[in-house]
Amino acid sequence: LIVLKNMICLLVGISPPPENESWLQMKENFINFSDHEAGDDIGIEWRGDPFITNDDDNGPTLLVEAVIRTEINPQKFIEALEQWLSNTPISEEDEKAITPSCELWASAPAPLPLRPSMAYEKILKPKFSEQSNDSWIDRSSVSLREWGIIVQEQILQPDQVQELILIVNSSIHEVENSIKTHRPEIIIGKDFFCFQEIASRNLERFDLRLADVGTLNFVETHILGNANIKALLECSLGTRAEIDFDISVVYSRPGACVQGWHADGAHQNGAKDAGWDVDGWKTQLADPYAICLFVPLIDLNDEVGYTQFWPASHRSSKFLGFGPVAEISDSTFDGICNAGDGVWYDYRLLHRGMPNNSKITRPVLQIVFKKRWYVERANYGEEKIIR
Protein backbone atom coordinates (compact mmCIF):
# COMPACT_ATOMS: atom_id res chain seq x y z
CA LEU A 1 0.00 0.00 0.00
CA ILE A 2 1.18 3.51 -0.82
CA VAL A 3 1.40 5.87 2.13
CA LEU A 4 1.70 9.59 1.46
CA LYS A 5 3.65 11.71 3.90
CA ASN A 6 2.97 15.23 5.08
CA MET A 7 0.25 17.37 3.48
CA ILE A 8 -1.46 16.00 0.41
CA CYS A 9 -4.17 17.00 -2.04
CA LEU A 10 -6.55 14.29 -3.26
CA LEU A 11 -8.79 14.58 -6.31
CA VAL A 12 -11.71 12.19 -5.92
CA GLY A 13 -14.34 11.15 -8.46
CA ILE A 14 -17.80 10.19 -7.17
CA SER A 15 -20.06 8.28 -9.55
CA PRO A 16 -22.95 8.57 -10.08
CA PRO A 17 -22.87 12.19 -8.89
CA PRO A 18 -24.80 12.71 -5.63
CA GLU A 19 -27.38 15.46 -5.40
CA ASN A 20 -26.17 18.90 -4.41
CA GLU A 21 -27.64 18.46 -0.92
CA SER A 22 -25.57 15.32 -0.46
CA TRP A 23 -22.40 17.18 -1.42
CA LEU A 24 -23.15 20.03 0.99
CA GLN A 25 -23.83 17.58 3.80
CA MET A 26 -20.63 15.70 3.00
CA LYS A 27 -18.66 18.95 3.00
CA GLU A 28 -20.08 19.95 6.38
CA ASN A 29 -20.04 16.59 8.16
CA PHE A 30 -17.40 14.33 6.62
CA ILE A 31 -14.51 16.35 7.97
CA ASN A 32 -12.44 13.57 9.55
CA PHE A 33 -11.99 9.82 9.38
CA SER A 34 -10.15 7.19 11.39
CA ASP A 35 -6.93 5.62 10.16
CA HIS A 36 -5.62 3.02 12.58
CA GLU A 37 -2.21 3.10 10.90
CA ALA A 38 -1.94 6.81 11.69
CA GLY A 39 -3.31 6.20 15.18
CA ASP A 40 -5.74 9.09 15.20
CA ASP A 41 -8.60 10.81 13.38
CA ILE A 42 -7.51 12.49 10.15
CA GLY A 43 -8.84 15.98 9.42
CA ILE A 44 -10.22 16.78 5.96
CA GLU A 45 -10.50 20.20 4.33
CA TRP A 46 -12.71 20.31 1.23
CA ARG A 47 -11.54 22.85 -1.33
CA GLY A 48 -13.25 24.72 -4.14
CA ASP A 49 -16.55 23.98 -5.82
CA PRO A 50 -17.33 20.47 -7.05
CA PHE A 51 -18.13 20.02 -10.71
CA ILE A 52 -19.32 17.24 -12.95
CA THR A 53 -17.14 15.84 -15.70
CA ASN A 54 -17.55 12.81 -17.92
CA ASP A 55 -15.54 9.68 -17.16
CA ASP A 56 -15.11 7.25 -20.07
CA ASP A 57 -15.72 4.27 -17.77
CA ASN A 58 -18.28 5.56 -15.28
CA GLY A 59 -20.09 8.32 -17.15
CA PRO A 60 -20.97 11.57 -15.31
CA THR A 61 -18.70 11.94 -12.29
CA LEU A 62 -18.54 14.54 -9.54
CA LEU A 63 -14.99 15.74 -8.89
CA VAL A 64 -14.15 16.96 -5.40
CA GLU A 65 -10.85 18.06 -3.92
CA ALA A 66 -9.69 17.32 -0.39
CA VAL A 67 -6.63 18.66 1.40
CA ILE A 68 -5.32 16.50 4.21
CA ARG A 69 -2.63 17.85 6.51
CA THR A 70 -0.99 14.65 7.68
CA GLU A 71 0.35 11.27 6.61
CA ILE A 72 -2.37 9.24 4.94
CA ASN A 73 -3.10 6.04 3.08
CA PRO A 74 -5.20 7.26 0.13
CA GLN A 75 -7.14 4.00 -0.19
CA LYS A 76 -8.23 4.24 3.45
CA PHE A 77 -9.64 7.69 2.69
CA ILE A 78 -11.55 6.40 -0.35
CA GLU A 79 -13.00 3.51 1.66
CA ALA A 80 -14.03 5.84 4.49
CA LEU A 81 -15.73 8.22 2.04
CA GLU A 82 -17.65 5.40 0.35
CA GLN A 83 -18.72 4.10 3.77
CA TRP A 84 -19.94 7.54 4.80
CA LEU A 85 -21.92 7.98 1.57
CA SER A 86 -23.56 4.55 1.98
CA ASN A 87 -24.55 5.31 5.59
CA THR A 88 -25.83 8.85 5.10
CA PRO A 89 -29.11 9.03 3.17
CA ILE A 90 -30.46 12.54 2.69
CA SER A 91 -34.10 11.46 2.36
CA GLU A 92 -36.21 8.31 2.27
CA GLU A 93 -35.84 8.22 -1.52
CA ASP A 94 -32.06 8.26 -1.17
CA GLU A 95 -32.21 5.02 0.81
CA LYS A 96 -33.32 3.28 -2.38
CA ALA A 97 -30.75 5.05 -4.55
CA ILE A 98 -27.52 3.49 -5.77
CA THR A 99 -24.64 4.18 -3.42
CA PRO A 100 -22.01 6.19 -5.30
CA SER A 101 -18.60 4.66 -5.79
CA CYS A 102 -15.45 6.70 -5.15
CA GLU A 103 -12.21 6.64 -7.10
CA LEU A 104 -8.91 8.40 -6.53
CA TRP A 105 -8.21 10.42 -9.67
CA ALA A 106 -5.01 12.10 -8.54
CA SER A 107 -2.85 12.89 -5.55
CA ALA A 108 -0.60 15.92 -5.55
CA PRO A 109 1.92 17.65 -3.27
CA ALA A 110 0.09 20.99 -3.61
CA PRO A 111 -3.57 22.08 -3.95
CA LEU A 112 -4.61 21.31 -7.52
CA PRO A 113 -6.00 24.31 -9.43
CA LEU A 114 -9.29 23.09 -10.88
CA ARG A 115 -11.92 24.70 -13.07
CA PRO A 116 -13.91 27.27 -11.05
CA SER A 117 -17.71 27.31 -10.86
CA MET A 118 -17.70 30.54 -12.90
CA ALA A 119 -16.70 29.98 -16.53
CA TYR A 120 -13.08 30.73 -17.38
CA GLU A 121 -14.21 33.17 -20.06
CA LYS A 122 -15.81 35.44 -17.45
CA ILE A 123 -12.66 35.46 -15.32
CA LEU A 124 -9.90 35.47 -17.91
CA LYS A 125 -11.43 37.93 -20.37
CA PRO A 126 -11.97 41.16 -18.38
CA LYS A 127 -14.10 43.67 -20.24
CA PHE A 128 -13.27 47.33 -20.60
CA SER A 129 -15.44 49.82 -18.75
CA GLU A 130 -16.86 52.66 -20.80
CA GLN A 131 -16.41 54.99 -17.83
CA SER A 132 -12.84 54.12 -16.86
CA ASN A 133 -10.06 51.75 -17.81
CA ASP A 134 -8.78 51.75 -14.23
CA SER A 135 -11.19 48.97 -13.27
CA TRP A 136 -10.02 46.85 -16.23
CA ILE A 137 -6.40 47.26 -15.22
CA ASP A 138 -7.18 46.40 -11.60
CA ARG A 139 -9.24 43.34 -12.49
CA SER A 140 -6.74 42.19 -15.11
CA SER A 141 -3.74 42.47 -12.80
CA VAL A 142 -5.56 40.54 -10.06
CA SER A 143 -6.70 37.82 -12.48
CA LEU A 144 -3.19 37.56 -13.90
CA ARG A 145 -1.79 37.04 -10.42
CA GLU A 146 -4.51 34.60 -9.33
CA TRP A 147 -4.91 32.57 -12.53
CA GLY A 148 -1.65 33.32 -14.33
CA ILE A 149 -3.42 34.25 -17.57
CA ILE A 150 -5.79 36.81 -19.11
CA VAL A 151 -7.00 37.62 -22.62
CA GLN A 152 -6.94 41.18 -23.94
CA GLU A 153 -8.95 41.61 -27.09
CA GLN A 154 -7.84 43.60 -30.15
CA ILE A 155 -4.41 44.73 -29.06
CA LEU A 156 -3.53 45.27 -32.72
CA GLN A 157 -5.62 46.57 -35.60
CA PRO A 158 -5.93 44.55 -38.86
CA ASP A 159 -3.47 46.78 -40.74
CA GLN A 160 -0.92 46.39 -37.93
CA VAL A 161 -1.34 42.61 -38.03
CA GLN A 162 -0.71 42.66 -41.78
CA GLU A 163 2.44 44.73 -41.24
CA LEU A 164 3.69 42.12 -38.77
CA ILE A 165 2.86 39.26 -41.13
CA LEU A 166 5.13 40.76 -43.78
CA ILE A 167 7.98 41.10 -41.27
CA VAL A 168 7.48 37.58 -39.93
CA ASN A 169 7.20 35.88 -43.33
CA SER A 170 10.38 37.59 -44.50
CA SER A 171 12.23 36.54 -41.34
CA ILE A 172 11.05 32.93 -41.61
CA HIS A 173 12.07 32.74 -45.28
CA GLU A 174 15.50 34.18 -44.49
CA VAL A 175 16.32 31.89 -41.54
CA GLU A 176 15.07 28.71 -43.22
CA ASN A 177 17.17 29.50 -46.30
CA SER A 178 20.15 30.04 -44.03
CA ILE A 179 19.65 26.61 -42.43
CA LYS A 180 19.33 24.95 -45.84
CA THR A 181 22.51 26.66 -47.02
CA HIS A 182 24.74 26.33 -43.98
CA ARG A 183 23.25 23.25 -42.28
CA PRO A 184 22.18 21.07 -45.23
CA GLU A 185 22.14 17.96 -43.03
CA ILE A 186 19.10 19.32 -41.13
CA ILE A 187 15.64 18.45 -42.41
CA ILE A 188 13.49 21.35 -41.25
CA GLY A 189 10.32 20.09 -39.62
CA LYS A 190 11.72 16.65 -38.89
CA ASP A 191 15.07 17.13 -37.13
CA PHE A 192 15.64 18.81 -33.78
CA PHE A 193 17.89 21.88 -33.73
CA CYS A 194 18.59 24.68 -31.28
CA PHE A 195 20.52 27.73 -32.48
CA GLN A 196 20.85 31.27 -31.18
CA GLU A 197 18.47 32.49 -33.86
CA ILE A 198 15.86 29.74 -33.90
CA ALA A 199 14.95 26.51 -32.12
CA SER A 200 12.61 23.69 -33.08
CA ARG A 201 10.05 22.83 -30.41
CA ASN A 202 8.85 19.56 -31.91
CA LEU A 203 7.77 18.37 -35.36
CA GLU A 204 6.91 21.36 -37.56
CA ARG A 205 6.94 23.85 -34.64
CA PHE A 206 9.62 26.58 -34.31
CA ASP A 207 10.54 29.58 -32.19
CA LEU A 208 12.33 32.28 -34.20
CA ARG A 209 13.87 35.30 -32.53
CA LEU A 210 13.03 38.70 -34.03
CA ALA A 211 15.72 41.23 -33.19
CA ASP A 212 15.60 43.55 -36.19
CA VAL A 213 15.11 47.27 -35.68
CA GLY A 214 11.76 47.28 -37.48
CA THR A 215 10.20 44.74 -35.11
CA LEU A 216 11.66 46.45 -32.03
CA ASN A 217 10.23 49.79 -33.15
CA PHE A 218 6.88 48.16 -33.88
CA VAL A 219 6.65 46.76 -30.34
CA GLU A 220 7.74 50.04 -28.76
CA THR A 221 5.16 51.99 -30.76
CA HIS A 222 2.11 49.72 -30.98
CA ILE A 223 2.46 47.49 -27.92
CA LEU A 224 4.24 49.53 -25.26
CA GLY A 225 2.61 52.64 -26.69
CA ASN A 226 -0.75 51.20 -25.60
CA ALA A 227 -1.66 52.92 -22.31
CA ASN A 228 -3.53 49.89 -20.96
CA ILE A 229 -0.61 47.56 -21.68
CA LYS A 230 1.83 49.96 -20.04
CA ALA A 231 -0.37 50.18 -16.94
CA LEU A 232 -0.89 46.41 -16.76
CA LEU A 233 2.86 45.80 -16.95
CA GLU A 234 3.53 48.36 -14.23
CA CYS A 235 0.97 46.70 -11.94
CA SER A 236 2.10 43.14 -12.64
CA LEU A 237 5.83 43.30 -13.41
CA GLY A 238 7.45 46.69 -12.97
CA THR A 239 8.11 50.09 -14.53
CA ARG A 240 9.62 50.51 -17.96
CA ALA A 241 12.98 51.21 -16.32
CA GLU A 242 12.80 47.86 -14.49
CA ILE A 243 11.88 45.64 -17.44
CA ASP A 244 12.93 44.85 -20.98
CA PHE A 245 11.64 42.38 -23.54
CA ASP A 246 12.52 39.69 -26.06
CA ILE A 247 10.55 39.16 -29.28
CA SER A 248 10.05 36.02 -31.32
CA VAL A 249 7.52 34.32 -33.52
CA VAL A 250 6.32 30.84 -32.65
CA TYR A 251 5.09 29.27 -35.87
CA SER A 252 3.52 25.86 -36.32
CA ARG A 253 3.40 24.48 -39.84
CA PRO A 254 0.79 22.00 -41.08
CA GLY A 255 1.35 18.67 -39.37
CA ALA A 256 2.64 20.16 -36.11
CA CYS A 257 1.71 17.76 -33.31
CA VAL A 258 0.58 18.41 -29.76
CA GLN A 259 3.30 19.52 -27.35
CA GLY A 260 3.89 18.15 -23.89
CA TRP A 261 2.86 20.25 -20.93
CA HIS A 262 5.62 22.68 -19.95
CA ALA A 263 6.40 26.07 -18.47
CA ASP A 264 8.58 28.53 -20.39
CA GLY A 265 10.42 29.45 -17.21
CA ALA A 266 11.03 27.73 -13.89
CA HIS A 267 10.26 29.05 -10.42
CA GLN A 268 13.36 30.87 -9.25
CA ASN A 269 15.56 29.34 -6.56
CA GLY A 270 14.35 30.43 -3.13
CA ALA A 271 11.14 31.96 -4.48
CA LYS A 272 7.97 31.06 -2.60
CA ASP A 273 5.10 29.01 -4.02
CA ALA A 274 1.50 29.79 -3.10
CA GLY A 275 1.63 27.08 -0.44
CA TRP A 276 -1.45 25.42 1.03
CA ASP A 277 -3.50 28.43 2.11
CA VAL A 278 -6.56 29.25 0.01
CA ASP A 279 -5.29 32.81 -0.51
CA GLY A 280 -1.66 31.76 -0.90
CA TRP A 281 -1.61 33.09 -4.48
CA LYS A 282 -2.24 36.53 -2.98
CA THR A 283 -0.16 36.42 0.20
CA GLN A 284 2.74 34.02 -0.44
CA LEU A 285 3.37 33.46 -4.15
CA ALA A 286 6.49 35.21 -5.41
CA ASP A 287 5.88 37.99 -7.93
CA PRO A 288 6.49 37.03 -11.57
CA TYR A 289 9.88 37.76 -13.06
CA ALA A 290 8.54 37.45 -16.62
CA ILE A 291 5.17 37.68 -18.35
CA CYS A 292 4.61 36.50 -21.90
CA LEU A 293 2.29 38.10 -24.43
CA PHE A 294 1.02 35.94 -27.31
CA VAL A 295 -0.51 37.78 -30.27
CA PRO A 296 -1.78 35.45 -33.02
CA LEU A 297 -1.38 36.80 -36.54
CA ILE A 298 -4.26 34.68 -37.88
CA ASP A 299 -7.58 33.71 -36.34
CA LEU A 300 -7.17 30.61 -34.19
CA ASN A 301 -9.58 27.68 -34.20
CA ASP A 302 -9.66 23.92 -33.69
CA GLU A 303 -8.29 23.20 -37.16
CA VAL A 304 -5.33 25.59 -37.30
CA GLY A 305 -4.68 25.05 -33.59
CA TYR A 306 -4.01 27.22 -30.56
CA THR A 307 -2.22 27.14 -27.20
CA GLN A 308 -3.91 25.33 -24.33
CA PHE A 309 -3.27 26.57 -20.78
CA TRP A 310 -3.74 25.25 -17.26
CA PRO A 311 -4.90 28.34 -15.34
CA ALA A 312 -3.34 28.84 -11.88
CA SER A 313 -0.66 26.19 -12.49
CA HIS A 314 1.95 28.93 -11.94
CA ARG A 315 1.22 28.76 -8.20
CA SER A 316 3.58 25.87 -7.52
CA SER A 317 6.72 24.38 -9.03
CA LYS A 318 5.37 20.98 -7.99
CA PHE A 319 2.79 20.89 -10.81
CA LEU A 320 5.40 19.93 -13.43
CA GLY A 321 4.34 16.49 -14.64
CA PHE A 322 0.72 16.98 -13.55
CA GLY A 323 -0.53 18.41 -16.87
CA PRO A 324 -2.67 15.32 -17.60
CA VAL A 325 -4.65 16.08 -14.42
CA ALA A 326 -5.79 19.32 -16.03
CA GLU A 327 -6.99 17.32 -19.03
CA ILE A 328 -8.92 14.61 -17.18
CA SER A 329 -10.49 17.15 -14.82
CA ASP A 330 -11.51 19.44 -17.68
CA SER A 331 -9.54 22.30 -16.10
CA THR A 332 -7.79 23.51 -19.26
CA PHE A 333 -8.39 26.82 -21.05
CA ASP A 334 -8.18 26.96 -24.84
CA GLY A 335 -6.46 30.12 -26.06
CA ILE A 336 -8.70 30.44 -29.12
CA CYS A 337 -8.85 34.07 -30.19
CA ASN A 338 -8.72 36.33 -33.20
CA ALA A 339 -5.75 37.82 -35.03
CA GLY A 340 -4.53 40.84 -33.06
CA ASP A 341 -5.90 39.68 -29.71
CA GLY A 342 -3.44 39.17 -26.87
CA VAL A 343 -3.03 36.33 -24.39
CA TRP A 344 -0.98 37.31 -21.35
CA TYR A 345 0.45 34.54 -19.18
CA ASP A 346 2.86 34.15 -16.30
CA TYR A 347 6.16 32.65 -17.50
CA ARG A 348 5.73 29.87 -14.89
CA LEU A 349 2.30 28.79 -16.19
CA LEU A 350 1.92 25.31 -17.68
CA HIS A 351 0.71 25.20 -21.28
CA ARG A 352 1.10 23.28 -24.53
CA GLY A 353 0.78 23.97 -28.24
CA MET A 354 -2.04 22.08 -29.93
CA PRO A 355 -1.83 20.37 -33.35
CA ASN A 356 -2.08 22.22 -36.63
CA ASN A 357 -4.43 20.12 -38.77
CA SER A 358 -4.91 22.79 -41.41
CA LYS A 359 -3.02 23.55 -44.62
CA ILE A 360 -1.62 26.90 -43.46
CA THR A 361 1.07 27.98 -40.99
CA ARG A 362 0.01 29.29 -37.58
CA PRO A 363 2.24 32.29 -36.65
CA VAL A 364 2.03 33.79 -33.15
CA LEU A 365 4.02 36.82 -32.08
CA GLN A 366 5.61 36.22 -28.68
CA ILE A 367 6.87 39.05 -26.50
CA VAL A 368 8.49 38.12 -23.21
CA PHE A 369 8.42 41.07 -20.84
CA LYS A 370 10.89 40.40 -18.05
CA LYS A 371 12.91 41.86 -15.22
CA ARG A 372 16.17 43.23 -16.58
CA TRP A 373 18.20 40.82 -14.45
CA TYR A 374 16.58 37.79 -16.09
CA VAL A 375 18.36 36.41 -19.15
CA GLU A 376 16.70 33.65 -21.18
CA ARG A 377 19.16 30.80 -21.57
CA ALA A 378 17.01 27.67 -21.64
CA ASN A 379 14.93 28.07 -24.80
CA TYR A 380 17.63 28.75 -27.39
CA GLY A 381 21.11 27.46 -28.20
CA GLU A 382 24.54 29.04 -27.95
CA GLU A 383 25.67 28.14 -31.48
CA LYS A 384 24.80 30.28 -34.52
CA ILE A 385 23.48 28.83 -37.78
CA ILE A 386 26.51 30.12 -39.67
CA ARG A 387 29.62 28.58 -38.13
Side-chain angles (χ1 to χ4, degrees):
L1 296 175
I2 299 174
V3 176
L4 305 172
K5 297 181 178 181
N6 303 319
M7 297 178 66
I8 197 72
C9 175
L10 301 180
L11 180 61
V12 180
I14 304 176
S15 179
E19 296 294 331
N20 188 51
E21 292 79 4
S22 300
W23 153 248
L24 293 175
Q25 185 168 337
M26 183 180 79
K27 185 176 181 180
E28 293 174 1
N29 296 301
F30 187 63
I31 55 176
N32 57 67
F33 74 100
S34 297
D35 185 346
H36 297 300
E37 293 180 10
D40 201 354
D41 282 350
I42 305 294
I44 305 165
E45 179 186 347
W46 298 102
R47 288 284 180 94
D49 297 318
F51 60 91
I52 295 176
T53 189
N54 191 60
D55 180 28
D56 291 340
D57 296 326
N58 300 317
T61 299
L62 183 75
L63 288 184
V64 294
E65 184 176 12
V67 168
I68 301 175
R69 297 176 179 266
T70 188
E71 184 175 287
I72 181 180
N73 181 328
Q75 190 55 40
K76 291 292 182 83
F77 172 79
I78 296 297
E79 292 171 359
L81 179 56
E82 283 189 330
Q83 185 67 35
W84 188 90
L85 288 169
S86 66
N87 293 338
T88 313
I90 304 302
S91 65
E92 292 183 0
E93 293 182 359
D94 288 338
E95 293 181 357
K96 302 177 183 179
I98 299 174
T99 301
S101 63
C102 302
E103 182 180 6
L104 180 66
W105 279 44
S107 60
L112 288 165
L114 302 179
R115 176 163 53 90
S117 56
M118 182 182 295
Y120 275 140
E121 283 71 16
K122 293 184 179 180
I123 300 173
L124 305 182
K125 295 183 177 181
K127 299 298 182 182
F128 283 99
S129 167
E130 294 182 0
Q131 289 75 27
S132 172
N133 285 339
D134 291 345
S135 60
W136 179 87
I137 294 165
D138 291 340
R139 285 182 287 114
S140 296
S141 60
V142 170
S143 292
L144 188 57
R145 180 168 180 82
E146 181 177 4
W147 297 100
I149 177 175
I150 62 165
V151 177
Q152 182 181 0
E153 296 179 342
Q154 206 171 15
I155 285 179
L156 297 178
Q157 299 299 317
D159 61 323
Q160 295 168 342
V161 172
Q162 290 302 313
E163 181 181 345
L164 267 179
I165 288 175
L166 293 176
I167 294 173
V168 163
N169 287 344
S170 175
S171 298
I172 292 173
H173 178 75
E174 181 179 343
V175 76
E176 290 191 354
N177 276 346
S178 181
I179 293 174
K180 291 174 183 177
T181 300
H182 300 282
R183 304 284 181 156
E185 73 280 6
I186 292 177
I187 302 176
I188 300 175
K190 306 301 179 185
D191 295 335
F192 171 81
F193 55 85
C194 190
F195 299 116
Q196 284 187 19
E197 304 92 336
I198 185 173
S200 59
R201 295 298 176 226
N202 59 7
L203 294 180
E204 302 293 0
R205 181 177 283 109
F206 314 91
D207 189 339
L208 168 62
R209 279 176 160 167
L210 301 174
D212 59 283
V213 174
T215 307
L216 292 172
N217 289 339
F218 183 96
V219 170
E220 288 281 4
T221 302
H222 300 298
I223 302 294
L224 287 172
N226 183 311
N228 291 311
I229 289 177
K230 182 180 179 181
L232 178 62
L233 284 170
E234 287 184 353
C235 285
S236 302
L237 193 61
T239 65
R240 185 68 182 88
E242 297 173 308
I243 65 175
D244 57 14
F245 59 88
D246 294 332
I247 315 170
S248 66
V249 58
V250 178
Y251 64 101
S252 303
R253 304 197 302 192
C257 58
V258 64
Q259 278 184 301
W261 287 98
H262 66 281
D264 290 336
H267 289 245
Q268 295 294 289
N269 291 334
K272 288 186 176 180
D273 286 349
W276 290 89
D277 292 343
V278 173
D279 291 331
W281 61 270
K282 185 189 305 183
T283 60
Q284 298 184 55
L285 179 64
D287 292 335
Y289 59 87
I291 296 173
C292 188
L293 172 62
F294 269 1
V295 182
L297 303 184
I298 62 171
D299 293 344
L300 304 183
N301 52 45
D302 289 328
E303 185 179 17
V304 77
Y306 50 89
T307 302
Q308 188 175 70
F309 299 89
W310 185 7
S313 59
H314 68 304
R315 297 180 189 176
S316 176
S317 59
K318 298 175 182 177
F319 292 139
L320 285 175
F322 280 84
V325 174
E327 298 173 53
I328 65 172
S329 65
D330 195 24
S331 295
T332 59
F333 173 72
D334 295 340
I336 296 177
C337 52
N338 295 324
D341 290 345
V343 180
W344 295 89
Y345 67 91
D346 192 299
Y347 215 47
R348 301 165 291 185
L349 192 76
L350 294 179
H351 60 283
R352 59 177 183 165
M354 301 304 281
N356 183 352
N357 296 317
S358 73
K359 296 181 179 180
I360 61 174
T361 295
R362 177 177 88 230
V364 177
L365 184 72
Q366 175 179 260
I367 309 172
V368 180
F369 295 98
K370 59 187 182 63
K371 296 288 190 181
R372 289 186 178 272
W373 55 260
Y374 178 75
V375 178
E376 177 56 66
R377 293 187 174 91
N379 291 318
Y380 302 95
E382 298 181 359
E383 188 179 6
K384 290 185 177 182
I385 295 173
I386 301 177
R387 295 182 176 89

